[in-house]
């Protein structure tokens, strides 16, 4: 697989990985080994960053789109993420509220779907379907 695919699967920012990782194909076996027994560079990169947007968004509890709306387009280090968490700017507070609302709506939708399925199952079981 391409190094970019492997980096995404490892949740690391490709430009921060070693050159020999960036410039070659990664086998599935190598990826599995990196996941099972990460080398020091991978441990350090996951701990300190810089991190890809998906990791940044997850740590800030917002969407990747929310990052873009907040003007975050580059990779951030763990230290930078922690600084945003410690003193969240207005855009981050707003994006967290939006993300929380989206999660609530998703849970409500899942509940409605489960209720519909349970009702359909009850009707089918009673022969009224």
């Amino acid at each position: 697989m391409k190094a970019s695919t492997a980096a995404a699967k490892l949740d690391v920012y490709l430009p921060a990985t070693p050159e020999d990782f960036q410039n070659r194909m990664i086998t599935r076996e190598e990826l599995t080994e990196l996941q099972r027994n990460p080398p020091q560079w991978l441990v350090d990169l996951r701990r300190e960053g810089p991190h890809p947007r998906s990791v940044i968004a997850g740590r800030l509890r917002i969407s990747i789109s929310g990052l873009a709306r907040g003007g975050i387009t580059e990779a951030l280090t763990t230290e930078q993420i922690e600084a945003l968490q410690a003193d969240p700017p207005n855009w981050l507070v707003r994006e967290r509220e939006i993300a929380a609302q989206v999660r609530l709506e998703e849970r409500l939708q899942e509940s409605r779907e489960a209720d519909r399925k349970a009702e359909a199952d009850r009707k089918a079981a009673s022969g009224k379907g």
Side-chain angles (χ1 to χ4, degrees), residues 4 10 26 31 59 63 79 86 90 116 124:
S4 59
L10 294 169
I26 308 296
L31 178 65
R59 289 188 181 185
S63 68
E79 185 177 323
N90 290 337
R116 277 191 223 110

Side-chain angles (χ1 to χ4, degrees), residues 106-127:
E106 288 172 347
R107 284 194 302 273
L108 290 172
Q109 182 63 28
E110 289 171 3
S111 176
R112 283 187 215 110
E113 289 172 10
D115 290 347
R116 277 191 223 110
K117 183 182 180 328
E119 181 62 25
D121 290 348
R122 278 192 295 275
K123 285 181 179 179
S126 67

Side-chain angles (χ1 to χ4, degrees), residues 60 72 76 79-89 91-92:
L60 294 176
I72 304 294
L76 298 179
E79 185 177 323
Q80 291 169 311
I81 294 168
E82 288 171 352
L84 286 170
Q85 291 170 327
D87 187 19
W91 68 265
L92 180 53

Side-chain angles (χ1 to χ4, degrees), residues 43-85:
V43 171
D44 293 343
L45 192 54
R46 286 177 168 167
R47 184 180 57 243
E48 299 166 10
H51 302 286
R53 289 180 301 154
S54 60
V55 172
I56 299 166
R59 289 188 181 185
L60 294 176
R61 299 184 327 270
I62 63 173
S63 68
I64 293 173
S65 299
L67 281 178
R69 286 189 294 270
I72 304 294
T73 57
E74 299 297 320
L76 298 179
T77 64
T78 298
E79 185 177 323
Q80 291 169 311
I81 294 168
E82 288 171 352
L84 286 170
Q85 291 170 327

Side-chain angles (χ1 to χ4, degrees), residues 8 14 16-17 21 24 26 29 34 36 44 48 50 63 74 76 81 83 98 102 120:
L14 180 61
T17 62
F21 179 88
R24 66 182 178 88
I26 308 296
E29 292 77 23
L34 287 168
R36 253 191 262 153
D44 293 343
E48 299 166 10
S63 68
E74 299 297 320
L76 298 179
I81 294 168
I98 291 169
V102 167

